[in-house]
Amino acid sequence: VKYSYIKVYGLDVAQGGKAALDISPEEEERFAQMAKDPEIRDKIYQSMAPSICASAKDVIDDVKKALACLLFGGCRKRLPDGTRMRGDINILLLGDPGTAKSQFLKFAEKAAPIAVYTSGKGSSAAGLTAAIVRDRDGFTLEGGAMVLA
């Protein structure tokens, strides 16, 4: 690498437990009420990409459940033998054209605080990690979608 380069689009300095989010007492009370609701899981599943409707013949409801798990994430664990489990949840959507795969991914990108949507050429193994770009001065190495997320 010839030069170090950092491009910053925005910067918020946060410290402490609640520094990242400003939650009002009313919102905190609403969260507490939602946590007590026995139907909260179904409500969350139904709120995933609400414009995509399920029918009795497809698995759209299962995809919405997987998408909710992806957005909420898992928890890190340390096993008794010292092995760490990251807790990241990943999903792979395969299907025929026109089965709303891209719409689900676009919804997840908009709902997640940190996300990068990629498809086609940018989603090759090399394109996800880095890309070599030619400019007027020669070639440069740019971070791919995973690095940018």
Side-chain angles (χ1 to χ4, degrees), residues 12 35 37 45 60 62-63 77 82 84 115 127 141 143 147:
D12 289 329
D37 184 356
Y45 299 153
I60 296 294
D62 293 333
V63 174
K77 294 181 182 176
R84 285 185 322 133
L141 184 65
V147 176

Side-chain angles (χ1 to χ4, degrees), residues 1-5 130-144:
V1 176
K2 194 172 185 180
Y3 301 104
S4 298
Y5 176 75
I132 297 175
V133 179
R134 184 178 193 156
D135 60 11
R136 57 182 164 76
D137 297 328
F139 293 96
T140 58
L141 184 65
E142 292 184 357

Side-chain angles (χ1 to χ4, degrees), residues 14-76:
Q15 293 179 355
K18 291 187 176 181
L21 294 174
D22 292 327
I23 298 174
S24 69
E26 296 83 22
E27 290 172 326
E28 198 168 330
E29 176 63 30
R30 177 80 173 120
F31 288 140
Q33 288 174 354
M34 290 169 58
K36 294 175 185 171
D37 184 356
E39 303 294 319
I40 191 64
R41 284 186 182 172
D42 290 328
K43 290 178 181 178
I44 290 171
Y45 299 153
Q46 291 168 4
S47 71
M48 296 291 119
S51 62
I52 303 171
C53 299
S55 71
K57 297 179 180 179
D58 58 29
V59 294
I60 296 294
D61 284 333
D62 293 333
V63 174
K64 289 185 177 195
K65 289 176 184 178
L67 187 63
C69 290
L70 171 84
L71 290 174
F72 277 85
C75 59
R76 292 185 179 108

Side-chain angles (χ1 to χ4, degrees), residues 101-120:
K101 298 180 301 293
S102 294
Q103 283 76 15
F104 278 118
L105 294 175
K106 288 177 184 176
F107 174 83
E109 179 201 14
K110 292 197 185 319
I114 299 173
V116 174
Y117 175 77
T118 182
S119 65

Side-chain angles (χ1 to χ4, degrees), residues 5-18:
Y5 176 75
I6 297 176
K7 190 177 205 178
V8 177
Y9 292 108
L11 177 65
D12 289 329
V13 178
Q15 293 179 355
K18 291 187 176 181

